[in-house]
């Protein structure tokens, strides 16, 4: 990856590879000229350099040599992203109606998830370079996401990013996963669609203030110093100022401003307590913290969703709203959807859905068992003969998968 100073780039120059901010957000795709407006926006937000897989010798002036521009895919716009979301949603709905296999259904849900990730990346990148967020488009996208999550909750929650993917797209991954959880909690609390859309928008943008901070703060592979933590703590105010300037609804502004406030008054930036904190901020605080616990980062050990759920339930020093935590628990269960578990009868399975009345006894899909029709065997766990003993560790799961793969190969060979 090569580094280029903003002041050394002239308007009308195109790069042979994507031009990026912080190795994460695309400033301009390969072959697309960098405009003076984009360069001025980067300077205004105090970015001093950008990166590209290409190098300065491979840049060309469009004004001087149009034929020298390397071929590249068209720039991704909000229209192309919206079209991608629409197509993937249609595929997912078709898969649901046709009752496709679990594997096929998961694949179509993953495709939709990826399209929404592209949208979040676009929103953050477009704001960083153009100081714009299309509120009407954001509201429409959040509405479709809310409906999609309502219809596919148990599949969406089984999507887990790799450590490598997470490291490259921290703000996007974190915003997406937090927003999914926030909408799921909102559904559990029986929020209206209009409120869910506002909640989703607030959660999607809750880290927008980060783009004005030095990227090493949120991409760090080590614990931050006290001074760095203090600088990081400014991002809710910065985010609030951004959405206020763009005239977002007050409820969304407050959700962003207050998402690090704590019920006990020990949060920031205003040290609010209890009912002084907006409901959107209360929900984002829980989802943001839950997601931060399970996020794979180089400077801390990876923790399971079960560990995160237990930590949230402890609610040490009464940091979080108890009603919101309960809504999270009943939405994903004590052994959260997607977790691999060991049952008392020796079976190994993956949690695929909740028990609506008992968060301790979710529905589990047994890994090496099938029903008479060939579909994966599912069981309703309980507190006796189908009791969950524990969640599998990463190492135990890897070993179990190897054994299952060996069994499958033996069956095929015979």
């Amino acid at each position: 990856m090569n580094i280029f100073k903003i002041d050394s780039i002239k308007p009308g120059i195109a790069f042979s590879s994507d031009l990026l901010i912080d190795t994460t957000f695309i400033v301009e795709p390969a072959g697309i000229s960098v405009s003076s407006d984009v360069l001025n926006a980067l300077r205004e937000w105090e970015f001093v350099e950008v990166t590209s897989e290409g190098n300065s010798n491979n840049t060309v002036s469009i004004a001087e040599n149009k034929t020298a521009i390397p071929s590249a895919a068209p720039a991704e716009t909000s229209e192309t992203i919206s079209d991608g979301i629409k197509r993937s949603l249609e595929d997912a709905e078709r898969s649901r109606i046709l009752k496709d296999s679990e594997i096929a259904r998961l694949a179509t849900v993953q495709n939709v998830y990826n399209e929404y990730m592209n949208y979040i990346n676009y929103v953050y990148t477009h704001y960083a370079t153009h100081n714009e967020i299309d509120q009407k488009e954001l509201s429409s996208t959040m509405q479709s996401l809310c409906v999609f999550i309502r219809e596919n909750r148990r599949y969406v929650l089984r999507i887990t990013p790799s450590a490598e993917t997470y490291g490259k797209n921290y703000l996007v991954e974190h915003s997406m996963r937090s927003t999914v959880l926030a909408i799921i909690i909102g559904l559990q609390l029986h929020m209206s669609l209009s409120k869910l859309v506002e909640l989703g928008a607030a959660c999607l943008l809750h880290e927008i203030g980060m783009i004005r901070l030095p990227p090493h703060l949120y991409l760090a592979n080590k614990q931050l110093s006290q001074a760095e933590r203090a600088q990081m703590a400014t991002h809710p105010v910065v985010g609030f100022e951004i959405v206020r300037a763009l005239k977002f609804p007050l409820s969304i502004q407050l959700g962003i401003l207050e998402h690090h406030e704590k019920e006990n008054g020990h949060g920031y930036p205003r040290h609010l307590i209890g009912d002084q904190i907006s409901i959107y901020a209360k929900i984002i605080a829980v989802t943001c913290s839950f997601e931060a616990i399970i996020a794979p980062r180089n400077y801390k050990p990876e923790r399971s969703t079960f560990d995160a759920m237990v930590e949230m339930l402890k609610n040490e020093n009464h940091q979080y709203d108890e009603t919101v935590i309960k809504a999270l628990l009943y939405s994903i269960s004590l052994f959260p959807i997607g977790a691999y578990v060991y049952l008392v009868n020796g079976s190994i399975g993956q949690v695929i859905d909740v028990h609506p009345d008992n968060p301790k006894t979710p529905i589990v899909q047994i890994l090496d068992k099938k029903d008479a029709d060939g579909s994966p065997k599912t069981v309703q766990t309980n507190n006796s003969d189908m009791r969950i003993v524990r969640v599998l560790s990463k190492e135990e799961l890897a070993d179990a998968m190897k054994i299952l793969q060996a069994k499958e190969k033996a069956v095929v060979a015979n």
Side-chain angles (χ1 to χ4, degrees):
M1 188 68 70
N2 301 307
I3 299 174
F4 300 89
K5 297 294 183 183
I6 298 296
D7 291 339
S8 71
I9 302 174
K10 296 179 180 180
I13 291 295
F15 286 73
S16 59
S17 296
D18 292 344
L19 193 64
L20 309 170
I21 299 174
D22 313 331
T23 72
T24 303
F25 300 115
I26 297 177
V27 177
E28 293 292 2
I32 303 300
S33 62
V34 183
S35 69
S36 58
D37 288 342
V38 169
L39 293 172
N40 289 335
L42 291 171
R43 293 189 186 98
E44 182 179 346
W45 296 122
E46 300 181 355
F47 288 105
V48 297
E49 58 190 28
V50 287
T51 60
S52 177
E53 291 288 356
N55 57 59
S56 57
N57 292 330
N58 290 332
T59 59
V60 295
S61 169
I62 292 179
E64 295 175 0
N65 188 0
K66 294 183 180 180
T67 61
I69 302 173
S71 59
E76 197 162 38
T77 64
S78 62
E79 289 80 12
T80 59
I81 292 172
S82 295
D83 288 343
I85 290 175
K86 183 179 179 181
R87 286 193 300 273
S88 59
L89 282 172
E90 289 172 350
D91 290 342
E93 181 62 13
R94 190 179 303 111
S95 178
R96 185 181 72 84
I97 293 173
L98 295 176
K99 297 182 179 179
D100 284 346
S101 68
E102 285 283 295
I103 294 176
R105 185 83 179 273
L106 280 167
T108 58
V109 168
Q110 177 76 66
N111 289 337
V112 178
Y113 188 94
N114 292 343
E115 291 294 345
Y116 282 113
M117 288 271 290
N118 290 338
Y119 175 72
I120 295 174
N121 185 74
Y122 167 80
V123 169
Y124 273 65
T125 304
H126 189 73
Y127 180 76
T129 55
H130 295 79
N131 295 356
E132 297 173 347
I133 298 176
D134 187 327
Q135 292 190 49
K136 184 177 180 180
E137 180 182 71
L138 177 60
S139 178
S140 176
T141 304
M142 283 301 99
Q143 181 169 327
S144 69
L145 178 60
C146 289
V147 174
F148 170 71
I149 290 174
R150 184 188 64 195
E151 299 294 334
N152 299 277
R153 173 183 54 85
R154 72 188 189 94
Y155 296 97
V156 175
L157 288 171
R158 289 154 74 177
I159 297 174
T160 305
S162 65
E164 180 181 2
T165 301
Y166 202 102
K168 290 181 179 178
N169 303 282
Y170 166 71
L171 289 181
V172 175
E173 288 278 6
H174 175 70
S175 297
M176 180 65 186
R177 284 156 64 85
S178 297
T179 300
V180 166
L181 289 170
I183 291 171
I184 285 172
I185 288 174
L187 287 166
Q188 183 68 31
L189 294 175
H190 304 292
M191 284 185 169
S192 66
L193 181 58
S194 62
K195 294 297 184 184
L196 286 172
V197 168
E198 282 193 342
L199 170 62
C203 197
L204 186 148
L205 296 174
H206 80 279
E207 302 286 39
I208 194 72
M210 290 283 198
I211 67 174
R212 290 198 191 174
L213 301 181
H216 75 269
L217 294 179
Y218 55 84
L219 296 175
N221 291 326
K222 61 178 181 62
Q223 293 284 4
L224 299 179
S225 67
Q226 184 174 352
E228 288 171 329
R229 288 197 300 273
Q231 192 173 8
M232 275 282 284
T234 64
H235 79 270
V237 174
V238 176
F240 167 73
E241 291 173 345
I242 289 173
V243 294
R244 182 176 62 174
L246 293 173
K247 296 181 171 55
F248 272 81
L250 180 61
S251 56
I252 293 177
Q253 295 179 31
L254 293 178
I256 293 170
L257 176 64
E258 299 171 359
H259 75 272
H260 277 294
E261 299 288 358
K262 304 296 183 186
E263 294 290 306
N264 56 19
H266 292 168
Y268 61 89
R270 295 189 293 166
H271 310 293
L272 303 179
I273 60 172
D275 291 340
Q276 294 176 335
I277 306 168
S278 70
I279 182 59
Y280 295 165
K282 287 172 181 279
I283 294 173
I284 298 172
V286 168
T287 63
C288 188
S289 297
F290 181 92
E291 204 285 325
I293 295 170
I294 64 175
R297 304 299 294 273
N298 292 335
Y299 61 82
K300 69 178 182 67
E302 186 174 346
R303 300 179 66 186
S304 70
T305 52
F306 173 74
D307 292 333
M309 192 70 254
V310 170
E311 185 165 327
M312 298 306 297
L313 288 171
K314 288 179 180 176
N315 198 10
E316 293 183 358
N317 301 317
H318 191 57
Q319 300 179 68
Y320 309 105
D321 186 286
E322 293 287 353
T323 300
V324 175
I325 292 177
K326 183 178 179 180
L328 176 65
L329 174 66
Y330 276 83
S331 297
I332 67 175
S333 93
L334 177 61
F335 303 96
I337 294 174
Y340 287 88
V341 294
Y342 183 77
L343 304 185
V344 70
N345 65 1
S347 298
I348 292 175
Q350 185 182 35
V351 178
I352 63 168
D353 210 347
V354 299
H355 187 301
D357 300 319
N358 189 344
K360 295 181 180 180
T361 59
I363 298 170
V364 171
Q365 181 177 297
I366 306 302
L367 294 189
D368 59 345
K369 304 290 184 183
K370 294 185 182 298
D371 288 327
D373 62 359
S375 60
K377 183 177 180 60
T378 60
V379 299
Q380 172 67 68
T381 59
N382 54 40
N383 294 317
S384 56
D385 61 321
M386 283 293 176
R387 177 170 53 88
I388 294 177
V389 177
R390 56 185 169 80
V391 174
L392 268 64
S393 68
K394 189 176 181 179
E395 293 74 21
E396 288 175 327
L397 177 59
D399 290 341
M401 289 301 185
K402 288 179 182 178
I403 294 172
L404 290 176
Q405 289 171 2
K407 286 183 178 179
E408 290 175 0
K409 287 181 180 179
V411 170
V412 171
N414 293 330

